[in-house]
Amino acid sequence: MSAFDYDLVIIGAGPAGLTAGLYAARARLNVLLLEKAVPGGQIIVTDWIENYPGFPEGISGFDLAEKMKIQAEAFGLKIDTAEVHSLALTPDVKEVVLQDKRIKAKSLIIASGASPKKLGIGEDRYMGKGISFCATCDAPFFKEKTVVAVGGGDTAVQEAIYLTKFVKKVYLLHRRDELRATKILQERAFANDKIEILWDTVATGVDGFFGIEGVHVKNVKTGEEKTLKADGCFIWVGTLPNTDFLKDAVDTDAYGFIRTDAKMQTSVSGVFAVGDVRDTPLRQVSTAVGDGAIAAVSAEHYLENIIK
């Protein structure tokens, strides 16, 4: 019996992990993909994706994730539900520690993604009671109500626009005096009469007993503070990498994102990182897919050259 369970283990089943799995399975590697939740990553809660090549009319994030999963499994990819607790990495063996067992692999691809960043305004207390990070999931609960949305990037603006399909009004808070979102999304937001943008403004807290009744805000330039009467608060202010299980196993940047080279190679030989979890200038489905393909091919080349 081989000392190794798999040629390759992939951690995370978002677009990057699924693509890596597809390429690896198609190359006939003995590969296992581990996902602690539902395959698809953050895109499964994205209402509509219109900038992914091949879908000129757009596609829902859930449907795109499902198509990726089906395609990868058609090539023989094995996907197991399990949470990774830690890694034990040496030049020869990549050991993945789960709750009830340890898996030994010759190579490893980390595709664990990232999670929404919190503001510290009561997210833990009011999660599911007015505070949300997902308009697609929770917008129907706020039909004909007023909500606050926080952020100025693509996700914040796109999700604020989506909210207007359900709510009466959206206050969009941005701490600067111009949005960071792409121009086409900005144009749509400016043209939407349900969206009121509050510039140079941050959320400082929320009020409510059973649920949110108001959101405290502050103008960062004037110092003016007030409370917006609102029934919900949606937060999109960036992401944090899902790297708690790494425990310094590979090099990361100051924010915890994994450093890689152009071949997706990390600081440990035979260990690669892809998608939102790595240090990258752009976090989109298309770039995640590209990362996954490169990493799988890099892992294949690595496996061909190591001493067996």
Side-chain angles (χ1 to χ4, degrees):
M1 182 177 179
S2 170
F4 295 96
D5 300 301
Y6 295 94
D7 294 327
L8 170 66
V9 169
I10 302 168
I11 301 172
L18 287 170
T19 302
L22 185 158
Y23 270 71
R26 189 171 182 269
R28 298 298 185 260
L29 298 181
N30 182 17
V31 56
L32 171 68
L33 191 157
L34 299 172
E35 168 56 51
K36 68 177 182 179
V38 179
Q42 291 193 74
I43 69 168
I44 64 172
V45 295
T46 301
D47 171 53
W48 201 247
I49 297 173
E50 61 183 9
N51 60 352
Y52 188 72
F55 297 91
E57 295 180 359
I59 184 172
S60 75
F62 179 87
D63 287 343
L64 181 58
E66 184 66 14
K67 288 178 183 293
M68 288 181 173
K69 175 178 175 288
I70 291 171
Q71 186 176 5
E73 289 180 326
F75 284 108
L77 177 65
K78 180 183 178 182
I79 303 176
D80 278 355
T81 302
E83 182 173 1
V84 175
H85 287 252
S86 62
L87 301 176
L89 306 178
T90 70
D92 299 321
V93 183
K94 322 305 175 192
E95 195 168 26
V96 181
V97 182
L98 309 181
Q99 181 176 1
D100 56 350
K101 63 179 178 180
R102 303 167 81 96
I103 299 172
K104 291 183 178 180
K106 298 175 183 177
S107 60
L108 178 68
I109 295 177
I110 303 170
S112 50
S115 299
K117 188 181 296 183
K118 296 179 180 179
L119 293 173
I121 60 171
E123 289 94 337
D124 293 336
R125 176 183 175 184
Y126 289 95
M127 180 65 67
K129 300 177 181 178
I131 285 183
S132 173
F133 299 95
C134 177
T136 308
C137 311
D138 298 329
F141 296 118
F142 298 91
K143 191 172 182 180
E144 294 304 312
K145 295 183 178 180
T146 297
V147 299
V148 171
V150 185
D154 282 355
T155 299
V157 176
Q158 186 173 19
E159 296 291 78
I161 294 169
Y162 177 77
L163 282 170
T164 62
K165 297 179 181 180
F166 300 88
V167 305
K168 179 173 62 178
K169 182 180 182 65
V170 178
Y171 289 106
L172 178 59
L173 313 185
H174 187 46
R175 64 180 303 116
R176 300 179 179 85
D177 57 6
E178 61 179 357
L179 299 173
R180 294 179 289 105
T182 56
K183 293 300 181 184
I184 189 169
L185 290 176
Q186 292 191 40
E187 291 168 2
R188 291 174 184 172
F190 296 150
N192 194 314
D193 58 11
K194 287 188 175 182
I195 296 177
E196 180 180 344
I197 301 177
L198 301 182
W199 304 107
D200 306 312
T201 301
V202 297
T204 58
V206 294
D207 270 339
F209 189 72
F210 293 109
I212 288 179
E213 297 172 5
V215 178
H216 304 305
V217 301
K218 179 180 179 179
N219 186 293
V220 296
K221 289 186 176 179
T222 67
E224 179 188 0
E225 298 184 52
K226 62 182 178 180
T227 299
L228 301 174
K229 183 174 176 56
D231 303 286
C233 182
F234 290 79
I235 302 170
W236 300 290
V237 291
T239 57
L240 294 172
N242 298 326
T243 52
D244 288 346
F245 65 93
L246 286 182
K247 299 178 175 63
D248 300 320
V250 298
D251 286 348
T252 61
D253 68 9
Y255 302 98
F257 292 98
I258 300 173
R259 298 184 188 276
T260 69
D261 63 15
K263 295 181 179 180
M264 306 299 132
Q265 172 69 58
T266 70
S267 58
V268 177
S269 179
V271 179
F272 307 87
V274 295
D276 287 2
V277 76
R278 80 178 189 93
D279 179 16
T280 176
L282 184 63
R283 292 182 171 86
Q284 294 283 296
V285 179
S286 55
T287 54
V289 166
D291 284 1
I294 292 170
V297 173
S298 296
E300 183 182 2
H301 291 168
Y302 168 81
L303 292 168
E304 290 173 350
N305 289 293
I306 63 174
I307 299 175
K308 297 183 173 70

